[in-house]
Amino acid sequence: MKTITALCIATLLFGCNTSKNTTTENTTNNPTERLETPATVIVSATPKMSEIVSAGDVKETVSFLASNDLNGRNTGSEGIAEAADYVETQFKTFGLKPYFDTFRDNFKVGELEAFNVVGLVEGNDSQLKNEYIVIGAHYDHIGSIKAVAGDSIANGANDNAAGTSAVLAMAKHFGKNKTNKRSLIFVTFTAEEMGLLGSKHLAEKLKAQNINLYTMVNFEMIGVPFIGRDYEAFITGYELSNLAEKINDYAGTKLVGYSEVAKKYNLFKRSDNYAFYEAFKVPSHTISSCDLTNFDFYHHVDDEIDKLNYSFMANLINKMAPVLEAMANAPTQEIKMNDN
């Protein structure tokens, strides 16, 4: 997630507390109190019939992206180039087509070479395929930082190898089954940590093509569950559209909810959804299970693979897959901006 200086000044959120101890006193429903980070739970790598991804699958993806070998996936680095190769190979394996001439959406950040990775699953309806849903997550992180106990690699497991794993799981599901009437654009963004530069570049590029964008769903920091809340994830900009209502309708349960913390610090503008809202003025939101009241390691070297709960992640992804399918197949555009 893009750095938010005001939060660090408040010493409230986003990893400003760098303590390695994740066990605290009893939790409450107060979103500004530190919650306990649950221990990692791993289940069988073999999915049930109703699952599109297992906890083992998710851990495998996160483990690669957040490995020390990729050195924190900073934009323009060898590590993020390797991550991009991995995502592109996965997209090809899953049966996605490149949205552009290749899977790479190239641009420059100063002197640095940068690239989003963009794949397409074309809709199977002759009319609705001309409407698009973007499903995205940033795959960059911040590289090497000040060392803690001899470790200087900010691996970015939760931020945002976790969200990237959701995009890859959805891409695999729809690439194989092609059950979507609307066309789906799957993208992993770079340079989010530098100011949402990758998503801004792609959103403006798609706007110039005048595509009919229905909605944009972004996944950010889904690696740990909340405790003491009546939903599994929140969406940023909750009040701006009816997306949360429709997600819960499609899921048949209260899957997403409202975060006071996200509202207070305007997290709607702090991740890659915002560039699409700015360009298209359509519902564009981030889904996250971490408003950083429940995670101590934002932009910290201890944002490692052993801090995440893979059973929770797989469960969230598996519940979101039929939601996205319902979005893609609704006969009319049911997700709309609210009147303000």
Side-chain angles (χ1 to χ4, degrees), residues 65-104:
L65 293 172
S67 67
N68 285 344
D69 291 343
L70 270 61
N71 201 38
R73 306 186 313 279
N74 207 351
T75 298
S77 69
E78 292 182 5
I80 200 166
E82 190 172 347
D85 288 342
Y86 174 83
V87 172
E88 182 174 341
T89 297
Q90 297 287 83
F91 280 179
K92 290 176 180 176
T93 301
F94 300 157
L96 275 66
K97 299 176 181 179
Y99 180 82
F100 301 109
D101 292 336
T102 72
F103 284 98
R104 302 293 177 96

Side-chain angles (χ1 to χ4, degrees), residues 314-336:
N315 182 61
L316 180 60
I317 294 167
N318 286 323
K319 288 181 178 179
M320 279 300 305
V323 168
L324 291 174
E325 189 165 306
M327 288 182 194
N329 295 337
T332 61
Q333 293 191 356
E334 298 177 341
I335 299 167
K336 302 179 183 296

Side-chain angles (χ1 to χ4, degrees), residues 6 14 49 53 57 142 149 159-160 190 218 244 268 284 298 317 326:
F14 293 91
M49 291 298 292
V53 69
D57 295 331
I142 58 173
D159 184 15
N160 189 33
T190 194
N218 187 56
F268 177 71
S284 306
Y298 172 74
I317 294 167

Side-chain angles (χ1 to χ4, degrees), residues 3 9 29 91 97 99 117 124 133 135 142 154 162 200 214 245 247 252 256 270 280 284 294-295 338:
T3 302
I9 294 173
N29 288 323
F91 280 179
K97 299 176 181 179
Y99 180 82
V117 185
N124 60 29
I133 298 172
I135 302 166
I142 58 173
K200 186 173 188 291
Y214 175 27
E245 175 188 347
I247 287 175
V256 298
R270 304 295 181 176
F280 290 91
S284 306
N294 58 331
F295 191 69
N338 289 331

Side-chain angles (χ1 to χ4, degrees), residues 21-40:
N21 183 3
T22 60
T23 302
T24 62
E25 65 267 22
N26 292 335
T27 60
T28 75
N29 288 323
N30 184 345
T32 61
E33 291 189 15
R34 185 71 62 186
L35 301 181
E36 180 182 20
T37 301
T40 299

Side-chain angles (χ1 to χ4, degrees), residues 83-304:
D85 288 342
Y86 174 83
V87 172
E88 182 174 341
T89 297
Q90 297 287 83
F91 280 179
K92 290 176 180 176
T93 301
F94 300 157
L96 275 66
K97 299 176 181 179
Y99 180 82
F100 301 109
D101 292 336
T102 72
F103 284 98
R104 302 293 177 96
D105 171 35
N106 297 289
F107 62 102
K108 300 276 283 189
V109 178
E111 297 300 315
L112 299 175
E113 297 290 338
F115 28 78
N116 302 313
V117 185
V118 189
L120 174 70
V121 179
E122 188 175 23
N124 60 29
D125 182 272
S126 60
Q127 296 300 316
L128 290 178
K129 72 178 183 180
N130 297 312
E131 300 176 13
Y132 292 85
I133 298 172
V134 172
I135 302 166
H138 76 90
Y139 73 119
D140 67 307
H141 201 229
I142 58 173
S144 295
I145 58 176
K146 183 178 179 180
V148 177
D151 181 8
S152 62
I153 298 175
N155 299 80
N158 197 20
D159 184 15
N160 189 33
T164 304
S165 74
V167 172
L168 289 176
M170 301 297 183
K172 181 177 182 179
H173 172 69
F174 287 103
K176 174 183 177 181
N177 297 297
K178 295 181 170 59
T179 51
N180 51 295
K181 293 182 179 181
R182 290 182 175 84
S183 295
L184 304 178
I185 297 174
F186 293 92
V187 53
T188 58
F189 300 106
T190 194
E192 190 268 1
E193 301 288 2
M194 294 182 170
L196 315 181
L197 300 182
S199 53
K200 186 173 188 291
H201 172 81
L202 180 61
E204 291 177 350
K205 193 171 181 178
L206 294 177
K207 181 64 175 179
Q209 293 183 345
N210 198 32
I211 73 164
N212 185 356
L213 181 65
Y214 175 27
T215 188
M216 190 276 180
V217 179
N218 187 56
F219 290 92
E220 173 92 65
M221 298 180 71
I222 61 167
V224 294
F226 289 115
I227 296 175
R229 301 197 194 182
D230 63 351
Y231 55 78
E232 296 183 40
F234 68 92
I235 72 165
T236 61
Y238 181 94
E239 71 285 355
L240 298 178
S241 81
N242 68 341
L243 179 62
E245 175 188 347
K246 297 309 299 181
I247 287 175
N248 293 336
D249 284 349
Y250 295 148
T253 187
K254 190 172 182 182
L255 185 58
V256 298
Y258 171 77
S259 166
E260 290 279 1
V261 176
K263 173 66 175 178
K264 181 176 181 179
Y265 293 103
N266 202 6
L267 299 190
F268 177 71
K269 294 184 177 182
R270 304 295 181 176
S271 195
D272 289 310
N273 61 285
Y274 186 63
F276 290 86
Y277 170 75
E278 282 283 276
F280 290 91
K281 294 299 188 287
V282 300
S284 306
H285 301 264
T286 290
I287 294 173
S288 178
S289 67
C290 179
D291 59 14
L292 299 183
T293 58
N294 58 331
F295 191 69
D296 286 332
F297 305 112
Y298 172 74
H299 285 188
H300 192 282
V301 296
D302 285 339
D303 183 3
E304 300 262 18

